[in-house]
Amino acid sequence: MDTEGTYDARGTGAERVPRPAGPPPAAPPPPTYAPQPRRPAADGPGVEEWLRTPRPVREPGVWRYGHVPRPPEKPEGVSDRSLLVGVLISVLSGLLLWSLWRNGYIPYRLVPLKLFTPGDWWYAGTFGGPRTIEGADALTVYEAVLFGLLVYGCGRLGNWSEIFRRHVAGRGQPFLGLATAAGGALAELLVWKDAVPLVRPVLILVASVAGGEIYQSQTVVNVIYALIALGVLWPFARLGRWRELAAARRGRAAAVPDAPAGPPDAPTPEQWPELREAGMRDAAEALTAEVRTGRMNDVDVARLRHAWSVGRGHPERLAALTEAVLRTGGAAALHPSGARDLARRTVRHDLLTGQVRIGSCTDDPHNPYARRGSGVALEPALLGTSLLAVGPPGAGKSARLVRPVVESLALQALAGRAAVLAVGGAGGELGPDDAFDVVVRIGDPASVHDFDLYGGTTDPDEAAGVLAEGLVGDVTHLDSRRAATVLAQLLGPYRAVHGHFPGVPALRELLDGDTAAIDALREALGAGGHQSMLRELEARTRQKGGAGDPGPVLADRIALLDRPAFAPFFATGDQARPFSLRSLEHLPLRVRIDLPERAHAEASRLLTRLVLAQFTAVTAARTDRSLFVCLVLDDATHTVTAETVRGIRRLRSVNAGALLTLRTVDDVPEGLHTALLGAVGCCMAFSGVTTWDGKRFAEVWGKEWVETREVAQHAVFADQPFTRALHGLRKLVTGKAVTRDAVTVRRVERERWSASELAYQVPPGHAVLSVTTVEGEHAPPLLVTLDG
């Protein structure tokens, strides 16, 4: 499209969409100014919220719309069961020790205290208790200190802090505040019931410092009691962050400083800041009103943004675009078909990034931790390296991969950014007819369009090369270059006489060497003075029937198309109505080709090879490569040849790509397995692939370094009689010998996905996908659950 749709009025570009011969269809009615466009998703937000949703730049294949990075991986710690058992054991051990202490079963328990206090405070002997009041007070304080040390030791031994962080603090407020408040209340009860030695030791210490007369004042006593109560609650208040909770309840919580906000008048995305910066304030205001009133959809936004980016270097285009926006609002710069959206969407799309969501990464050890649970999406930057999908019938290749990709490319075509050519069997799942601009139903008399066997070229050599690739490219013992020479020796003379290439019946007669057809062509060349073409025809006549002559094979293959079902198709001349792939060079077209796979399987494969050969030739010859062009083959069985593999490898450099699906890699000649897998940048293995196919993908994805842990159990031999007796008792009770674990950690190189894992560990509805961008950035193979 010469103007990329940036300033064409509605209807001026429509005539450039390929139309069949005959009277033109009725012109579509003029668009209304306030249509009811669809939302970005059936159950999604409005366009204004859709524009404001962040789209952080992430690794290739990540669904960027509203993406939230996964929290950092926590190191492996003690299990919850071990923590609870440790807490229980530490509490029981503390209670046992305290009970033994209080009941005097621990010997020499008062010796440390007697070393630092006067001897007349105590009775004589190691077990003698306090004799005086001062000794009793010292014992009370001593027991309080020991109790505190016991609680601290049990807390460290039982890892109480970890279980508090994991199960109390980890739940956040208000649970944290309520839990610590309950703990504080329990502590207060134990303190004032004298189950925890705290009140009496404090009173004794205060009396020893300030004198006993201080307790003659009830006010002082009340103050001391209040300080004790507050002292008990203070640790719980710190742990529970009561001050922050109370401030939040009062609406005075200290706000976390956000990122520096822009100036108050900074335009938001729905206010079209790029237009305002360029001085097109009136157009920006008009589009802002369209967005906020719901008269624009995501396709309109993407189309106008693309029109703006294309027209920035052409002032006349910007002026026309501004005028169209002021006149028609969101209906400016329409697609040549006049459509603003698809009638129905089946998956989620984000036209700002060009992505289509096909699934999400599973929580599987094969997937990196950061990618588990994240969405998986495809976009032109990935499809530009081409994608090969392999899976058995029923694995979901068409419904969960091909259909979403075709739908995404169709939406991007409406936005003027892409062109799509989808090829599949009649009655397939490529989308409804109204989602395409051109539908070619080969073998169906009701088809509006035919298919051009020669790809729209006028050069006999180019037409012969592409046609030979489609006819005999899969014949391993035949050189396609010789076949192209034979075809060129016939196509050139025929075009020189008739002004167009021959149809299928005429080409079959020439390849068969029909005497009447050859003589008539020879006479016409002589009468027209086409001596060079006459020499070409004579050369073909001399070579006919020689050793290795590709003519009979070409005649047999072209005979597959010379059937009654195809009689109205593949015509040439003034009355022909073919669709040519050259229309994809500059038009954002949506094209679907239906093949008669059930009734004419061999002819369908021949045509698929021809489409692939034409596509690689047409895209490589484009001069304007701003439009992304993608070919989608729903079934590429017996389609790939050595020449098309080389063409697929060149697609990424000409802003084009291909999506090929196979039931098995063996549908491609064995000699091309490595070349094909190396030519595509994205590979996808569906559930149910064989181990033979899995082996090829495992070789493509290579190996990685991983850490392995090997645990070996060694028997423990005791030397002492008592230890041997304990080991014998343990073996008698458990039935197992006493062993010791020896753990070895080392780094080894292993396959990312082995052949057996791909064949037997990929669940139904899943696939393993690896992607590469046209810039060379890649992502490892990921196990994806497909929800397309």
Side-chain angles (χ1 to χ4, degrees), residues 766-784:
H766 292 66
V768 180
L769 171 67
S770 66
V771 296
T772 304
T773 66
V774 291
E775 290 83 10
E777 189 179 0
H778 59 85
L782 305 171
L783 180 61
V784 179

Side-chain angles (χ1 to χ4, degrees), residues 723-733 738:
T723 308
R724 285 200 298 268
L726 290 178
H727 287 186
L729 178 61
R730 179 175 175 181
K731 183 176 180 179
L732 181 64
V733 172
V738 179

Side-chain angles (χ1 to χ4, degrees), residues 685-689 753 756-764 766-768 783-784:
F686 282 75
S687 61
V689 297
W753 281 88
S756 59
E757 287 175 336
L758 289 172
Y760 302 113
Q761 294 187 14
V762 178
H766 292 66
V768 180
L783 180 61
V784 179

Side-chain angles (χ1 to χ4, degrees), residues 116-428:
F116 296 96
T117 55
D120 56 355
W121 288 6
W122 312 96
Y123 288 107
T126 305
F127 295 94
R131 172 186 290 180
T132 63
I133 296 177
E134 290 82 359
D137 294 342
L139 179 59
T140 301
V141 175
Y142 178 59
E143 289 182 344
V145 172
L146 290 180
F147 181 83
L149 293 176
L150 180 62
V151 171
Y152 176 77
C154 291
R156 293 295 301 272
L157 178 66
N159 206 1
W160 295 1
S161 59
E162 176 62 25
I163 200 169
F164 175 80
R165 285 193 297 267
R166 185 178 300 184
H167 295 286
V168 180
R171 298 190 179 185
Q173 300 288 9
F175 180 82
L176 175 60
L178 294 176
T180 52
L186 178 61
E188 291 283 359
L189 178 64
L190 295 176
V191 166
W192 297 110
K193 289 292 184 180
D194 207 22
V196 175
L198 180 63
V199 177
R200 290 184 60 195
V202 171
L203 295 177
I204 291 171
L205 291 175
V206 172
S208 64
V209 174
E213 296 81 4
I214 193 175
Y215 295 119
Q216 295 179 1
S217 173
Q218 186 62 37
T219 302
V220 173
V221 174
N222 293 337
V223 170
I224 294 175
Y225 285 166
L227 291 176
I228 293 175
L230 292 177
V232 172
L233 291 178
W234 180 77
F236 295 95
R238 289 291 301 275
L239 291 174
R241 299 194 289 271
W242 293 357
R243 180 182 299 178
E244 298 177 10
L245 180 61
R249 292 295 181 182
R250 293 194 302 266
R252 295 187 292 103
V256 178
D258 297 328
D265 57 348
T268 51
E270 76 277 4
Q271 294 177 332
W272 301 82
E274 62 273 15
L275 297 183
R276 297 177 186 272
E277 293 176 1
M280 303 168 61
R281 182 170 294 274
D282 293 340
E285 292 292 345
L287 293 178
T288 301
E290 292 278 292
V291 170
R292 291 179 174 174
T293 55
R295 293 197 293 261
M296 286 183 68
N297 60 10
D298 54 345
V299 178
D300 296 330
V301 174
R303 185 184 68 251
L304 291 175
R305 285 196 171 191
H306 176 72
W308 157 253
S309 63
V310 171
R312 277 186 297 184
H314 304 82
E316 69 281 358
R317 294 189 180 185
L318 290 183
L321 177 62
T322 303
E323 180 184 354
V325 168
L326 294 176
R327 185 177 66 255
T328 60
L334 279 180
H335 184 265
S337 65
R340 297 176 64 178
D341 202 351
L342 299 180
R344 178 174 176 266
R345 302 188 189 185
T346 58
V347 291
R348 297 181 62 187
H349 303 271
D350 183 24
L351 290 178
L352 284 189
T353 58
Q355 290 186 318
V356 52
R357 182 185 173 106
I358 62 172
S360 58
C361 292
T362 62
D363 190 2
D364 187 86
H366 287 91
N367 294 339
Y369 174 83
R371 293 298 305 270
R372 298 174 191 173
S374 63
V376 178
L378 296 175
E379 56 184 304
L382 303 177
L383 296 174
T385 63
S386 299
L387 189 152
L388 176 65
V390 179
K397 301 187 298 297
S398 298
R400 301 184 178 184
L401 175 64
V402 173
R403 176 68 182 272
V405 170
V406 172
E407 187 175 290
S408 173
L409 293 171
L411 288 172
Q412 295 185 53
L414 292 180
R417 302 188 304 196
V420 57
L421 172 61
V423 182

Side-chain angles (χ1 to χ4, degrees), residues 465-470 472-474 479-481 484 609 612-617 620 639-651 669 672 675-676 679:
V466 175
L467 184 58
E469 194 64 32
V472 296
D474 61 328
D479 188 356
S480 60
R481 290 174 297 183
R609 282 195 304 272
L612 180 57
Q614 288 186 5
F615 179 82
T616 55
T639 299
V640 179
T641 64
E643 184 60 33
T644 53
V645 168
R646 287 189 285 269
I648 290 173
R649 190 179 291 111
R650 293 191 297 265
L651 291 179
L672 297 177
L676 177 60

